[in-house]
Amino acid sequence: MSGLDKFSEKVTRNVARATSRRSLLTLIGGALTGAAVIPVLPVSRAQAQTHGDGGDPVAPQSSGNPQDPGDQTKCDYWRYCAIDGFLCSCCGGSPSSCPPGTEMSPITWIGTCQNPADNRAYIISYNDCCGKSSCGRCLCNRNENDRPMVRPQANNDINWCLGTSSSVYNCSTAVILGVALEQQ
């Protein structure tokens, strides 16, 4: 036998004598669980935020309407108060239309956002655009007034592409439905 074979046999026999099968399975299970937790560490999220969305820079876009202020390619645009996903305005579409080659899902989640131009609340329909793989630009995740999964119509964590011919997600839109009623 070669020296490497003898060495590996000796180490294996020593490990077998010193540990039981259960403790070895416990170690392996702990290592697998620990490896699965690494992507959710805060360091990973902080790194993703400091490097942006990883895509090419996007030129600022404005509607040109003083009643619709803000840059439609930025996450702090007023209509995006409950959005979760890539912004269609960075992917070849607009805040209210899908990019070419995709279709808007008829299934939607809703939110109520305040327009800084007139300080009125507007009902916003968030529709996913489906049919192409994710565009990967301008990721935005805002959870203002997000509701738990038991209220799916107000939850932004669901893939809403189930009502289209393809369930592949591309980006999300923010369509104004109308003015919200005043709270009493």
Side-chain angles (χ1 to χ4, degrees):
M1 280 190 167
S2 71
L4 183 61
D5 287 340
K6 287 180 183 179
F7 175 75
S8 61
E9 180 183 357
K10 182 179 177 183
V11 169
T12 305
R13 288 184 184 275
N14 285 337
V15 169
R17 279 188 208 112
T19 60
S20 68
R21 287 185 200 139
R22 286 185 182 165
S23 65
L24 184 62
L25 289 175
T26 302
L27 287 173
I28 292 172
L32 290 174
T33 303
V37 172
I38 289 175
V40 298
L41 292 175
V43 175
S44 176
R45 281 185 249 130
Q47 183 268 345
Q49 290 174 354
T50 57
H51 293 306
D53 54 36
D56 298 329
V58 178
Q61 295 177 19
S62 172
S63 67
N65 181 351
Q67 293 299 318
D68 189 16
D71 183 356
Q72 299 172 350
T73 63
K74 300 291 182 211
C75 197
D76 63 356
Y77 178 55
W78 73 272
R79 284 195 214 177
Y80 300 151
C81 72
I83 202 164
D84 183 7
F86 299 108
L87 305 178
C88 285
S89 53
C90 296
C91 302
S94 73
S96 57
S97 67
C98 291
T102 64
E103 66 176 310
M104 188 176 287
S105 174
I107 304 171
T108 180
W109 75 97
I110 59 169
T112 305
C113 302
Q114 186 162 351
N115 185 342
D118 60 7
N119 287 324
R120 294 177 79 180
Y122 287 83
I123 300 170
I124 309 293
S125 171
Y126 296 100
N127 297 69
D128 286 345
C129 294
C130 314
K132 288 174 141 180
S133 62
S134 295
C135 84
R137 300 178 75 183
C138 302
L139 178 63
C140 184
N141 183 12
R142 293 179 61 186
N143 295 314
E144 297 167 28
N145 299 320
D146 189 26
R147 298 290 181 250
M149 294 292 254
V150 296
R151 299 242 351 253
Q153 69 274 16
N155 185 284
N156 65 9
D157 293 328
I158 299 172
N159 180 356
W160 293 96
C161 287
L162 299 176
T164 62
S165 60
S166 171
S167 63
V168 177
Y169 169 80
N170 183 261
C171 61
S172 297
T173 62
V175 180
I176 298 173
L177 294 180
V179 179
L181 297 175
E182 298 291 327
Q183 289 185 350
Q184 301 287 332

